[in-house]
Amino acid sequence: MLSARILAGAPSALVILALSSCASPWGCTDTTMERGEAGARVQVVDTSEQSIGVTVEVVDWRLEPHPQVPAEGDKVHFHYRFDGASEASGPGPAVDACAVDKGRVALGCQTIYSSEARLEPDGALTGDEYLTVERPEQVVGVLLIPNDQSYDRRTCAQDIKDGGGPHPPKPAGVGDRL
């Protein structure tokens, strides 16, 4: 027979279990956002596809050897500019930058972060990067993907209790059509 003390505590235990149901597998969901339209100048969007008030643009690009490894041949050297981003601590907004061919197929990509850029007198953050591509002669431009890649929330698979929610699209890679 169950004691009166155990029966009296049962409703409290049920309430605690009901409130902690967010830890159950059916309470954790991941949502991956669709990749936005790539361009040489883009408005950065968050995981709810809303503009965060930051614009990024490719200022220029050219093929040239990296000065530290000239023997490796031509790389895609591009300059970029973040407008509306602050120098605040943390990674800041980040977008994928890709060298593309005439069919807008990515030949090489990497993520660029506003926090790695230099502050200009006009308040913009600017920087430059080198992209390695297998066939530099095929490059016709450098495009940016507007989805903010700086948001790194844990997935349900990584942490069923605290993970889940919206995530940026998978980073762009070689062969992706932009």
Side-chain angles (χ1 to χ4, degrees):
M1 242 189 169
L2 296 174
S3 74
R5 200 188 257 168
I6 293 174
L7 290 174
S12 298
L14 290 174
V15 168
I16 290 170
L17 286 173
L19 291 175
S20 66
S21 68
C22 60
S24 67
W26 53 85
C28 188
T29 58
D30 288 312
T31 305
T32 301
M33 307 313 299
E34 291 292 320
R35 186 177 290 157
E37 180 71 28
R41 180 182 167 96
V42 297
Q43 290 284 323
V44 181
V45 295
D46 62 16
T47 55
S48 62
E49 299 181 6
Q50 299 298 311
S51 173
I52 63 170
V54 174
T55 302
V56 188
E57 70 178 303
V58 175
V59 177
D60 66 20
W61 71 274
R62 63 187 164 279
L63 296 176
E64 64 184 17
H66 190 288
Q68 295 175 337
V69 285
E72 290 182 3
D74 281 343
K75 311 273 187 207
V76 180
H77 184 201
F78 69 99
H79 291 83
Y80 58 88
R81 175 184 175 100
F82 282 85
D83 284 304
S86 70
E87 267 194 308
S89 62
V95 295
D96 288 337
C98 298
V100 297
D101 67 11
K102 63 183 177 184
R104 294 176 61 110
V105 174
L107 302 172
C109 299
Q110 73 181 57
T111 303
I112 56 171
Y113 293 84
S114 64
S115 61
E116 295 175 357
R118 297 172 296 281
L119 182 63
E120 298 294 331
D122 66 358
L125 297 169
T126 63
D128 70 302
E129 292 291 338
Y130 286 85
L131 285 170
T132 300
V133 297
E134 190 172 317
R135 305 199 58 177
E137 71 277 2
Q138 292 182 339
V139 176
V140 299
V142 177
L143 297 179
L144 303 167
I145 300 170
N147 303 91
D148 185 4
Q149 292 289 340
S150 68
Y151 184 71
D152 189 21
R153 183 179 197 138
R154 298 182 64 76
T155 65
C156 292
Q158 294 167 325
D159 187 344
I160 199 158
K161 181 176 177 266
D162 297 321
H167 302 279
K170 177 181 164 195
V174 174
D176 288 353
R177 186 173 303 277
L178 308 178

